[in-house]
Amino acid sequence: MSGGTFQAPKGVPDYIPVPPGERGSSADFLAVRSALLAATAEAGYGYIELPIFEDTALFARGVGESTDVVSKEMYTFADRGDRSVTLRPEGTAGVVRAVLQHGLDRGRLPVKVAYAGPFFRYERPQDGRYRQLQQVGVEAIGVDDPALDAEVIAVADRGYRSLGLDGFRLELTSLGDATCRPQYRELLQDFLLRLELDDETRRRAEINPLRVLDDKRPHMKEMTADAPLMLDHLSPEAKTHFEKVLGYLDALGVPYTINPRMVRGLDYYTKTCFEFVHDGLGAQSGIGGGGRYDGLVEQLGGRDGLSGIGFGLGVDRTLLALAAEGKTAPSAPRVVAFGVPLGDAARDALVPLLGRLRAAGVPSDMAYGGRGMKGAMKAADRSGAEYALVLGDSELEAGTVTVKDLASGQQRSVPLDAVVDELAGG
Ligand code: HAM
């Protein structure tokens, strides 16, 4: 298609500078991402910036070859040196890789890190399900303490609530540990393989029986209604661990529901597993999720016995959840001051004034291109600025600027050399 216009790849959202509250607003996007990150910083998580692509084998081994994420959804390609690389589908495997590569696991434990950025999954696009998705995540690696599980969950809860979001619920369960999970898996498999299953479900029961419990088809729900549940078959250690997590959540005042049939799409989870669910989103209701992973560090070449826990919060879906609740994330104004020059000499005086305002931390913009007063004032309104700085011949002569409060319409005359102090100080 020569000469035509381009569209973003299918299933990839843009965030653009439309006013806050409008769909696709980049101001809302930044506000959500920074609020979620701020909650992680409050709890002592240090920021980690990781590569967008990694060795394909890292995800195959880390996330699990039998998961949909690895078997069907990865963006994998050979680079020019014929190495197989993959656009990261999630963050946990990369964090563990970096922690081990830089020896952070030999320092003070737990290693607590937070990250934000895009992830890539070749899923069927629909509302709330994208091929480039954005997450804010944390990982706390090296200590298996139920208080840490509760902390991670509470950080996510706090992040959402700091945005004013409240129409979500936290579901959690325990997926057991190395002593009870294999036995339970067998028990469940025995139960499932005695049922009349279609070929695909039978295969799933053989490869990943837990996934069958997540089958939403009514006849499958009915057939598996009496299936054995992991929660009823926890080892004494896993049971105590889970009870302690619940106790800490109670103490922190974080509400939750136990969902013993929860199934997560990644293979590495053990013990605590959780999801934040929002009912205003339709089918893609998971706004965030995570859990503990006992075996992943060892699986990726680290020391035996180093456990971790973390979450990934969907920024795109959190934005949709806010919209569903009719709320807008509190965002910083794009500009505070907007210059309205009435003539060439006025523009020449406004250019350096804007430079000084910006240097003093007052976000500023102006009407470019020699528009008339009316057009320039319209531009000032549209910019969302608090003040218009009107400069015409009479102001120039008097060495002043007319500072107009765009909300109240009130205006006053301020000496040119006092504008910066006035706006930066106020
Ligand atoms: P996940 O549940 O696969 O977990 O993804 C976390 C969140 O990312 C989801 O709850 C959802 O909000 C968002 N998300 C996932 N896929 C999409 C998509 N296609 N479109 C829009 N949003 C999406 C993980 O990724 C784990 N690494 C979380 C974790 C960290 N577990 C332990 N540590």
Side-chain angles (χ1 to χ4, degrees):
M1 176 175 84
S2 71
T5 55
F6 290 102
Q7 302 279 312
K10 204 169 159 213
V12 175
D14 288 318
Y15 291 100
I16 52 179
V18 294
E22 281 184 22
R23 199 181 162 113
S25 154
S26 53
D28 291 347
F29 173 82
L30 288 176
V32 166
R33 193 177 60 180
S34 40
L36 297 177
L37 270 176
T40 74
E42 276 170 13
Y45 289 77
Y47 187 73
I48 185 166
E49 179 72 31
L50 292 173
I52 304 283
F53 62 92
E54 299 260 11
D55 196 332
T56 299
L58 172 69
F59 301 116
R61 210 190 309 159
V63 178
E65 312 228 36
S66 78
T67 61
D68 283 355
V69 168
V70 170
S71 66
K72 302 188 197 150
E73 297 170 0
M74 294 211 300
Y75 279 88
T76 297
F77 56 97
D79 73 4
R80 286 174 187 274
D82 233 10
R83 299 169 201 90
S84 180
V85 293
T86 294
L87 301 184
R88 58 185 189 185
E90 61 95 53
T92 313
V95 167
V96 171
R97 193 269 306 146
V99 164
L100 295 176
Q101 179 177 335
H102 301 288
L104 301 181
D105 59 315
R106 281 181 259 117
R108 199 163 50 88
L109 298 178
V111 178
K112 292 184 19 173
V113 293
Y115 52 90
F119 297 88
F120 305 85
R121 297 182 190 179
Y122 194 80
E123 296 196 74
R124 204 158 37 78
Q126 62 181 75
D127 241 14
R129 188 162 69 198
Y130 304 125
R131 289 183 171 169
Q132 175 171 320
L133 57 120
Q134 299 273 348
Q135 284 184 8
V136 167
V138 302
E139 311 296 340
I141 296 170
V143 173
D144 184 2
D145 180 341
L148 198 50
D149 301 44
E151 173 184 283
V152 164
I153 293 171
V155 165
D157 182 78
R158 161 105 186 101
Y160 291 133
R161 286 185 202 283
S162 74
L163 287 162
L165 211 61
D166 54 20
F168 63 88
R169 66 179 179 281
L170 161 65
E171 296 188 351
L172 81 167
T173 191
S174 171
L175 293 179
D177 59 21
T179 55
C180 55
R181 171 91 147 266
Q183 284 165 21
Y184 165 71
R185 191 179 182 280
E186 234 169 81
L187 200 69
L188 177 63
Q189 213 161 38
D190 283 351
F191 173 90
L192 293 173
L193 294 177
R194 276 202 294 270
L195 302 175
E196 294 257 332
L197 302 175
D198 57 83
D199 288 351
E200 199 187 324
T201 311
R202 178 161 293 272
R203 215 173 32 212
R204 195 174 308 148
E206 273 155 12
I207 300 169
N208 196 336
L210 262 77
R211 196 80 44 84
V212 180
L213 292 184
D214 194 35
D215 200 318
K216 304 279 191 304
R217 292 173 298 176
H219 75 281
M220 281 305 298
K221 276 182 150 172
E222 207 172 297
M223 279 206 288
T224 59
D226 297 328
L229 296 172
M230 182 73 252
L231 270 192
D232 298 325
H233 295 87
L234 292 177
S235 67
E237 291 75 27
K239 189 162 190 283
T240 308
H241 194 283
F242 189 53
E243 282 165 357
K244 284 197 171 151
V245 174
L246 300 184
Y248 288 125
L249 288 176
D250 289 334
L252 284 159
V254 175
Y256 56 82
T257 359
I258 294 172
N259 174 4
R261 300 171 80 89
M262 187 196 302
V263 175
R264 304 261 306 128
L266 311 164
D267 262 0
Y268 44 63
Y269 293 115
T270 52
K271 302 197 185 101
T272 315
C273 204
F274 57 91
E275 219 155 56
F276 288 89
V277 181
H278 198 286
D279 286 329
L281 292 192
Q284 305 307 314
S285 59
I287 56 171
R292 182 165 280 287
Y293 39 91
D294 282 344
L296 180 62
V297 176
E298 193 189 351
Q299 187 101 25
L300 295 179
R303 264 185 290 154
D304 182 11
L306 275 197
S307 177
I309 177 154
F311 64 56
L313 311 182
V315 175
D316 317 271
R317 287 192 194 161
T318 303
L319 282 159
L320 295 174
L322 276 168
E325 290 190 19
K327 291 170 182 157
T328 308
S331 58
R334 252 199 303 154
V335 293
V336 172
F338 196 94
V340 176
L342 307 176
D344 289 344
R347 183 174 20 260
D348 293 352
L350 269 177
V351 167
L353 177 61
L354 245 61
R356 293 203 305 278
L357 280 166
R358 290 170 182 157
V362 182
S364 309
D365 193 4
M366 69 182 267
Y368 290 103
R371 274 185 264 193
M373 169 85 165
K374 218 169 131 203
M377 284 309 289
K378 231 190 223 157
D381 275 330
R382 216 172 312 123
S383 76
E386 287 171 47
Y387 304 103
L389 309 181
V390 184
L391 200 59
D393 289 341
S394 55
E395 283 93 352
L396 271 177
E397 223 161 89
T400 60
V401 182
T402 301
V403 177
K404 180 171 181 185
D405 184 321
L406 287 168
S408 69
Q410 279 179 351
Q411 54 184 54
R412 61 189 196 283
S413 182
V414 177
L416 245 175
D417 53 13
V419 174
V420 173
D421 278 351
E422 186 138 324
L423 295 192

